[in-house]
Amino acid sequence: MLFQKTNPHGGDIYGGTVKLDFSANTNPFGTPKGIIDAVRECLPQMHRYPDPYCRELVAAIADHEQVPQSSILCGNGAAELIYAFAQAVRPKTAMELAPTFSEYALGLERTHCHIERHFLRKENNFAVGEDILAAVAEKSPEAVFVCNPNNPTGQLAGEEILTKLAQLCREKNIWLFVDECFLDLTDEGKSLKSCLPENPRLVILRAFTKSYGMAGVRLGYCMSANPHLLAEMSAAVQPWNVSSLAQAAGVAALKESAFLEKTKVIIRQQRKYLTDELEKQGFWVCPSRANFILFQGPENLGERLADMGIAIRSCDNYQGLEKGWYRTAVRLPEENKMLMEAIRQTAERK
């Protein structure tokens, strides 16, 4: 648990009165019944230690992803695997996008890694361009971190750019860590997993958190064709890190393809609604392909909404952003309408 440290993420609904939470990018439909039933059925086995090898879960993931079981390592949420990777590789230098998910840097800082940042620009809609290839070639870091789609921008990196980046990193013996935790909630996103067999320095991160509404369970996995790396990452965490409840939930989640398709339809529709409405308020909105939206608004918007019991994610702690930048999750139609009505009310009370 956090102790004497500020929570850098959204989703903290426990310390105040939050009626509507748009600060965490989880599935707007919540958790599928099939997953809840699987967890419930597992409860009588709580007195037993969980399978330290996650055998059934690994087999289910391998079948779902069409990769060998030997290429999969499960963890207690995606964040644990980020920290385990940093601990296993211990790069002296690493490069990440900016803005991007903060846990890469936090994990790397534990190993005293020097972090170079490739800044994305508002005038380019925070898109990842070909210039990242030149930056990596010039700086030649020991590891590169890419979030696709990127958090908090919601932007997808082009498949061609990512393939070129993977090839460049392979040629220069650079670790490439690609976070695809939100990819299942996009329409156009392409995974790099086809590059795994030929690239032992490529690691792909996935999680059940967002797609299947399992944030409270904590379950993620990574894929790599490098068994030595996975062994080192495994050694960095305790052996029973994935609970029996999480394993049962994960196996059940991979059967929820219809649920995922339904989710993508509502996200596509409601993302457009929120984008249009935010732009009507005069806010700059980053074109998103994910289940969240980055926008620039009044510096006090977050506080005003909090007074109304609505939480959005302030992004001023992201590298490359400052006060007045926010991220909102895309939720169900009635919730999104309530958010926009609240935002309109804050404008009227200026």
Side-chain angles (χ1 to χ4, degrees):
M1 73 174 193
L2 287 176
F3 185 76
Q4 295 183 349
K5 181 181 177 181
T6 301
N7 175 28
H9 304 295
D12 186 2
I13 61 172
Y14 306 99
T17 305
V18 177
K19 300 174 184 177
L20 286 173
D21 182 22
F22 288 84
S23 69
N25 309 325
T26 54
N27 194 302
F29 289 111
T31 311
K33 182 179 182 298
I35 297 176
I36 295 172
D37 289 344
V39 171
R40 186 179 292 114
E41 291 172 9
C42 188
L43 291 176
Q45 301 300 316
M46 283 178 60
H47 65 289
R48 300 184 184 278
Y49 280 100
D51 178 1
Y53 299 101
C54 301
R55 292 173 177 89
E56 185 180 2
L57 176 58
V58 167
I61 294 171
D63 182 64
H64 177 77
E65 297 284 6
Q66 292 297 289
V67 299
Q69 294 188 29
S70 58
S71 297
I72 297 166
L73 182 68
C74 297
N76 187 253
E80 181 182 66
L81 293 165
I82 294 170
Y83 281 67
F85 174 81
Q87 185 68 32
V89 174
R90 303 186 74 85
K92 294 182 176 62
T93 60
M95 180 180 289
E96 68 172 14
L97 305 176
T100 199
F101 187 48
S102 62
E103 292 298 327
Y104 313 136
L106 293 174
L108 291 165
E109 286 168 0
R110 289 190 175 189
T111 64
H112 307 289
C113 176
H114 173 72
I115 302 169
E116 295 276 356
R117 291 188 167 89
H118 180 71
F119 283 90
L120 307 174
R121 304 297 177 186
K122 176 183 176 182
E123 55 266 29
N124 296 327
N125 291 330
F126 294 104
V128 179
E130 293 269 350
D131 57 341
I132 192 174
L133 303 174
V136 171
E138 177 189 352
K139 299 291 185 180
S140 195
E142 293 180 31
V144 175
F145 287 74
V146 175
C147 187
N148 190 44
N150 191 26
N151 177 8
T153 66
Q155 280 279 26
L156 279 166
E159 184 179 8
E160 183 178 355
I161 290 176
L162 285 178
T163 302
K164 288 180 179 178
L165 179 61
Q167 179 64 26
L168 175 63
C169 289
R170 181 188 176 192
E171 292 171 356
K172 295 180 72 67
N173 212 29
I174 297 171
W175 293 100
L176 176 58
F177 189 98
V178 181
D179 182 345
E180 296 182 351
C181 286
F182 290 100
L183 198 66
D184 284 343
L185 296 178
T186 71
D187 293 315
E188 307 92 351
K190 301 294 184 183
S191 175
L192 267 189
K193 64 184 177 183
S194 63
C195 298
L196 286 171
E198 63 187 29
N199 195 338
R201 294 232 160 191
L202 172 62
V203 182
I204 295 175
L205 181 70
R206 292 290 189 96
F208 293 83
T209 306
K210 318 299 182 182
S211 302
Y212 302 102
M214 288 169 48
V217 173
R218 312 306 306 139
L219 180 61
Y221 61 95
C222 68
M223 297 179 284
S224 171
N226 189 326
H228 177 72
L229 169 68
L230 297 182
E232 290 294 310
M233 290 176 62
S234 175
V237 301
Q238 56 102 352
W240 297 288
N241 58 328
V242 182
S243 73
S244 55
L245 303 182
Q247 292 183 42
V251 171
L254 295 175
K255 302 173 184 177
E256 295 287 345
S257 57
F259 173 82
L260 207 55
E261 289 304 312
K262 179 180 74 169
T263 299
K264 289 200 291 187
V265 170
I266 198 72
I267 287 172
R268 190 185 316 124
Q269 295 170 348
Q270 291 302 302
R271 184 175 61 223
K272 183 179 187 308
Y273 166 78
L274 284 173
T275 298
D276 291 346
E277 293 299 314
L278 288 167
E279 289 179 341
K280 287 178 184 177
Q281 293 297 310
F283 302 157
W284 187 89
V285 182
C286 184
S288 174
R289 298 295 182 269
N291 62 320
F292 52 88
I293 296 170
L294 176 72
F295 68 97
Q296 190 174 24
E299 291 187 0
N300 62 354
L301 178 63
E303 290 85 351
R304 289 191 171 199
L305 289 175
D307 291 340
M308 302 168 71
I310 299 175
I312 59 175
R313 174 69 157 87
S314 176
C315 293
D316 56 356
N317 68 325
Y318 280 90
Q319 292 285 336
L321 300 179
E322 63 274 338
K323 200 167 180 60
W325 284 98
Y326 301 96
R327 189 195 69 200
T328 179
V330 177
R331 300 205 54 79
L332 297 178
E334 58 271 24
E335 297 172 301
N336 295 331
K337 289 177 182 176
M338 292 172 70
L339 171 64
M340 291 313 309
E341 178 57 31
I343 289 176
R344 282 189 284 269
Q345 290 179 24
T346 65
E348 292 169 359
R349 291 203 302 266
K350 281 185 178 178

